[in-house]
Amino acid sequence: MTYLTFSQKEYYCECLFEQNGPYWHICTPGEEMEVIFTSEEDFRFGMNAIALAVAELSSKTETDEGCVAFEVVTFELMSDHVHLIICGPREICLELLSIFRAKMRVYTTHRGRNIDWRGFKCDDPIEITDIEMLRNEIIYVNRNGYVASKSETPYSYRWGSGYLYYSIVEQLTIVATKASDLTYRQKRKMFRADKASLPERFVAADGYVLPQSFCNIRLGMSIFRDAHHYFNKLTKDFEAYSESAARLGDKIFLADGDLYAVIKDKCRKSYGTDSPNLLQPAQKLDLAKILHRQYNASNGQIRRMLKLDASIINELFPDSSSERK
């Protein structure tokens, strides 16, 4: 087995980045939408709608040599918005979102739900201009489901493709049904349509098309040097996560364990200590402001982590005194 050096791995990643692209992070604003996915049935159809949109757009852009104009690198469906990292021309990437929205509109209408879909759009997709930015955006998207729910891990949230990154699931041949083997009744139930044309390589299980059918997971993983590089950024790089959230206008909320990792890192870099207990009172107050402003830490979290009096915290952040504990 040949082992590559750090420089060789990084060079390989950079070459792949340059050979592909352009890359875009497309995100719809959740604050302008009511909850879209209210049940597992809704999420299943959302996964199928993405698959259908990819299949439809692929057939329109496929060349005589069998190449398509775009690749979905990763995506996540959240309750009121979606995240997509796509490689391809800007207008085609936005067309994919438009097709997906149209299918979701038909679905919710048939379900008797009157949703205003005008806010479900992305007027200004984020162009990803370098390899480190692409890494950070992939990590941001793949962490979304985990961050949103305390019952999830990055490898258990199934309404997207993040759980497939460096996972044995992506490598194994999953017991699933090929799209060509689906019965008329199965297709009718899954896609809410009489006709649904899917490539033969697509596979389905548990009532929805599996994301490895239509996402180029290998391309996304190849942007990272190795599994350790990916997992380190996934679990520890909260600075980059915060920056991505700021670009998107998203609010991030870290669990106590993740927030404490941020605190220890800030203590080391700014105050030369690993423990927030060794900080001076003024230093704790400065750190409290950073946690509140950059990481949306609740007053209760700041009090617990920094061992500060609740009255002091509530005086600093009165608008947050009645929020999450």
Side-chain angles (χ1 to χ4, degrees), residues 31 123 145 169 174 227 285:
E31 68 274 6
D123 294 328
V169 174
I174 300 175
L285 293 178

Side-chain angles (χ1 to χ4, degrees), residues 153-296:
T153 75
Y155 292 99
S156 70
Y157 189 79
R158 57 185 174 138
W159 309 121
S161 59
Y163 72 92
L164 295 171
Y165 273 62
Y166 289 100
S167 166
I168 191 77
V169 174
E170 196 275 334
Q171 301 168 38
L172 293 175
T173 301
I174 300 175
V175 178
T177 303
K178 291 182 179 180
S180 57
D181 293 334
L182 291 171
T183 66
Y184 171 82
R185 181 172 293 181
Q186 286 174 318
K187 289 182 179 180
R188 179 71 181 160
K189 182 177 180 181
M190 287 172 61
F191 306 116
R192 305 302 200 279
D194 292 324
K195 295 181 180 180
S197 178
L198 293 173
E200 192 170 318
R201 71 180 186 279
F202 280 24
V203 293
D206 195 26
Y208 62 93
V209 178
L210 298 177
Q212 54 266 53
S213 302
F214 55 90
C215 287
N216 194 336
I217 306 298
R218 298 300 174 91
L219 173 59
M221 290 193 299
S222 70
I223 296 301
F224 300 88
R225 291 186 293 274
D226 48 39
H228 280 241
H229 181 206
Y230 174 80
F231 195 71
N232 187 64
K233 291 186 72 66
L234 184 73
T235 57
K236 296 180 180 179
D237 197 352
F238 298 111
E239 291 287 349
Y241 185 73
S242 177
E243 290 172 6
S244 294
R247 262 196 302 273
L248 293 164
D250 275 356
K251 281 192 174 184
I252 63 170
F253 300 102
L254 300 181
D256 283 5
D258 294 339
L259 189 65
Y260 191 69
V262 169
I263 290 171
K264 289 187 69 173
D265 183 63
K266 297 288 186 186
C267 286
R268 278 194 299 269
K269 291 179 179 178
S270 301
Y271 308 114
T273 179
D274 278 341
S275 174
N277 295 330
L278 299 178
L279 298 180
Q280 298 297 316
Q283 293 173 329
K284 286 188 176 184
L285 293 178
D286 288 340
L287 184 54
K289 294 173 184 177
I290 292 173
L291 298 177
H292 175 78
R293 182 175 63 251
Q294 295 184 13
Y295 298 94
N296 296 299

Side-chain angles (χ1 to χ4, degrees), residues 69-83:
F70 71 98
E71 296 276 8
V72 178
V73 178
T74 195
F75 77 98
E76 296 288 312
L77 304 182
M78 307 305 291
S79 63
D80 56 7
H81 67 285
V82 300
H83 288 277

Side-chain angles (χ1 to χ4, degrees), residues 16-66:
L16 283 173
F17 176 84
E18 294 297 334
Q19 289 169 10
N20 295 281
Y23 301 89
W24 306 91
H25 184 168
I26 294 176
C27 176
T28 61
E31 68 274 6
E32 295 183 17
M33 289 295 299
E34 61 185 275
V35 173
I36 302 168
F37 303 102
T38 62
S39 65
E40 285 200 355
E41 184 176 0
D42 292 345
F43 274 110
R44 283 190 179 89
F45 184 81
M47 298 290 282
N48 291 330
I50 287 279
L52 287 171
V54 171
E56 184 176 320
L57 194 55
S58 294
S59 65
K60 289 171 60 177
T61 62
E62 188 174 7
T63 65
D64 293 337
E65 292 75 27

Side-chain angles (χ1 to χ4, degrees), residues 138-158:
I138 290 173
I139 291 294
Y140 183 84
V141 172
N142 289 355
R143 289 189 86 244
N144 247 251
Y146 156 67
V147 171
S149 173
K150 290 184 178 180
S151 64
E152 300 286 356
T153 75
Y155 292 99
S156 70
Y157 189 79
R158 57 185 174 138

